[in-house]
Amino acid sequence: MRSKEKISYFYDDNLGEDCPVFENMFEFCQIYAGATIDAARRLNHGLCDIAINWAGGLHHAKKCEASGFCYINDLVLGILELLKYHARVLYIDIDVHHGDGVEEAFYFTDRVMTVSFHKYGDMFFPGTGDLKDIGERDGKYYAINVPLKDGIDDASFNRLFKSIISKVVEIYLPGAIVLQCGADSLAGDRLGCFNLSIEGHAECVRFVKKFNIPLLVTGGGGYTKENVARCWTLETGVLVGTQLHNEIPDNDYSEYFAPDYTLKIPNSSIENLNSKSYLSQIKMQTMERLRCIQHAPGVQMHEVPPDFLIPESDEDEQDPDERVDQHTEDKHIQRDDEYYDGDNDNDHNMDDAP
């Protein structure tokens, strides 16, 4: 069965105009989802304090459904990896669209708190993320939605973001944070309707970094490509602690950044429909619900799923003239029969275990 036929078989009822099948799609999903999982593992093992995957952040995909240009929800997979080592994980989403796939995955648990700042109303995709959606069962009050209207600017967004996130971190005490930095919340995005400057967007990243909690940062939406590149370049600088010059140096893609050739862009002149009273009401209701959380939830002792091996050797440091023995090579190659019945089937062996 060809690649496209395989994908259509699994997603036939859940692929539309926003989730087209394309050549090498499975490899594409492997790369961006695998990178987020690997970033989580490296945080778990203390190999870094901050891990970045700008190719990730596909927050709309569900367990059995591709949605909104998202095929595999790498964020959910990364959070599940972090939960092997951390009792609580905080997920923050500043994409203009609601992070529905991540919220849905953890809607019934208190081990993940999801906080999404997004446009809501006017039939805006995906149509979820109302203020009253707060989680259920053990997850009640652990889903926080901040529904916003068109035109929100830097001052309004950052004020609300900082007050809510600081209180969430104070009460929830997460062991790790996942930050989805969708760039479609920037001013001038082809699909977005917010009015954030690149500096205003980056201020959210700067604020979360200051908590000094293991941090996994991903990309997300963004449909004015030159501004997406600007945004994630500046935010990479913020995360690594490097001040970048505003002037973009000459490069093969300079034409995309004409006529100013600058890293930062200003806000546009659209009206901010988010009144002070509306934002104050959102903040007040959110704080009230946070008060319903008595303390940071714990987790019972249980067997932690095993990690995949992170090779200690660096490929760049290996001598290309030195022959690698077969045993070492096999450790880096996936077996052809790994997902089939047989003595080497890990799932089969685990099912037979006493």
Side-chain angles (χ1 to χ4, degrees):
M1 189 182 289
R2 292 181 301 173
S3 176
K4 288 186 178 180
E5 293 173 345
K6 287 181 180 178
I7 295 166
S8 295
Y9 174 78
F10 288 108
Y11 290 110
D12 189 51
D13 296 328
N14 301 308
L15 285 174
E17 292 182 357
D18 62 354
C19 291
V21 177
F22 55 88
E23 201 66 40
N24 298 319
M25 177 172 150
F26 181 66
E27 288 76 11
F28 166 73
C29 293
Q30 279 183 309
I31 290 169
Y32 80 76
T36 297
I37 295 171
D38 187 55
R41 289 180 190 145
R42 291 179 181 277
L43 288 170
N44 284 343
H45 289 274
L47 300 178
C48 60
D49 300 316
I50 301 173
I52 307 171
N53 176 24
W54 293 126
L58 280 72
H59 58 172
H60 295 307
K62 312 297 196 308
K63 187 175 183 179
C64 296
E65 178 184 354
S67 174
F69 311 128
C70 304
Y71 299 88
I72 302 293
N73 199 317
D74 62 292
L75 293 158
V76 171
L77 299 178
I79 291 170
L80 289 173
E81 194 68 25
L82 290 169
L83 288 173
K84 294 178 182 179
Y85 283 74
H86 302 282
R88 297 171 301 281
V89 175
L90 171 61
Y91 172 73
I92 305 171
D93 192 317
I94 58 173
D95 193 291
V96 75
H97 300 97
H98 176 232
D100 57 332
V102 182
E103 179 184 275
E104 180 179 298
F106 302 108
Y107 206 62
F108 301 113
T109 180
D110 57 7
R111 292 197 60 199
V112 179
M113 177 173 279
T114 60
V115 186
S116 179
F117 297 79
H118 53 269
K119 155 75 176 179
Y120 179 76
D122 303 324
M123 304 295 290
F124 194 74
F125 183 86
T128 54
D130 196 349
L131 185 64
K132 67 177 183 290
D133 298 331
I134 58 174
E136 295 181 15
R137 303 179 195 170
D138 291 344
K140 189 174 182 180
Y141 303 120
Y142 292 92
I144 296 176
N145 285 296
V146 184
L148 301 168
K149 301 178 182 180
D150 291 5
I152 191 161
D153 55 25
D154 290 351
S156 300
F157 192 92
N158 288 144
R159 189 182 307 114
L160 188 62
F161 180 88
K162 291 179 179 180
S163 61
I164 290 176
I165 294 302
S166 59
K167 194 65 176 178
V168 164
V169 172
E170 175 190 338
I171 292 176
Y172 190 61
L173 299 176
I177 298 176
V178 176
L179 176 61
Q180 197 266 22
C181 298
D184 48 10
S185 47
L186 292 173
D189 187 82
R190 293 171 63 190
L191 296 185
C193 53
F194 285 176
N195 193 20
L196 299 182
S197 70
I198 289 177
E199 185 59 44
H201 196 275
E203 180 61 26
C204 297
V205 178
R206 188 176 291 109
F207 183 75
V208 173
K209 179 189 175 186
K210 289 180 180 178
F211 289 110
N212 292 318
I213 295 172
L215 177 61
L216 198 167
V217 180
T218 73
Y223 306 96
T224 303
K225 56 184 179 297
E226 58 272 22
N227 290 346
V228 175
R230 285 180 166 108
C231 182
W232 293 344
T233 297
L234 180 63
E235 289 174 353
T236 300
V238 168
L239 291 167
V240 301
T242 299
Q243 183 72 34
L244 301 178
H245 296 291
N246 193 38
E247 296 75 22
I248 297 175
D250 186 44
N251 61 82
D252 293 339
Y253 303 95
S254 293
E255 60 185 277
Y256 290 102
F257 306 100
D260 298 328
Y261 304 100
T262 56
L263 189 60
K264 301 175 184 178
I265 59 167
N267 306 74
S268 59
S269 57
I270 63 174
E271 181 184 2
N272 184 359
L273 299 181
N274 299 270
S275 65
K276 289 184 178 180
S277 60
Y278 176 73
L279 296 177
S280 177
Q281 181 183 16
I282 290 176
K283 177 182 174 181
M284 181 182 66
Q285 291 190 41
T286 301
M287 296 301 178
E288 283 293 329
R289 287 163 183 164
L290 284 172
R291 277 192 276 273
C292 294
I293 301 175
Q294 298 299 322
H295 53 79
V299 58
Q300 292 182 337
M301 295 293 292
H302 65 286
E303 184 178 352
V304 178
D307 285 337
F308 288 98
L309 174 67
I310 299 179
E312 295 181 0
S313 60
D314 190 336
E315 292 182 1
D316 295 333
E317 296 178 357
Q318 293 179 358
D319 185 353
D321 297 324
E322 181 179 345
R323 185 177 180 84
V324 179
D325 64 88
Q326 188 64 42
H327 176 70
T328 302
E329 186 176 349
D330 287 344
K331 290 197 296 183
H332 299 276
I333 298 176
Q334 177 178 296
R335 291 178 58 94
D336 292 334
D337 62 346
E338 184 173 353
Y339 298 108
Y340 295 89
D341 290 334
D343 294 335
N344 295 308
D345 182 10
N346 290 334
D347 293 335
H348 176 76
N349 292 337
M350 288 178 66
D351 292 339
D352 292 342

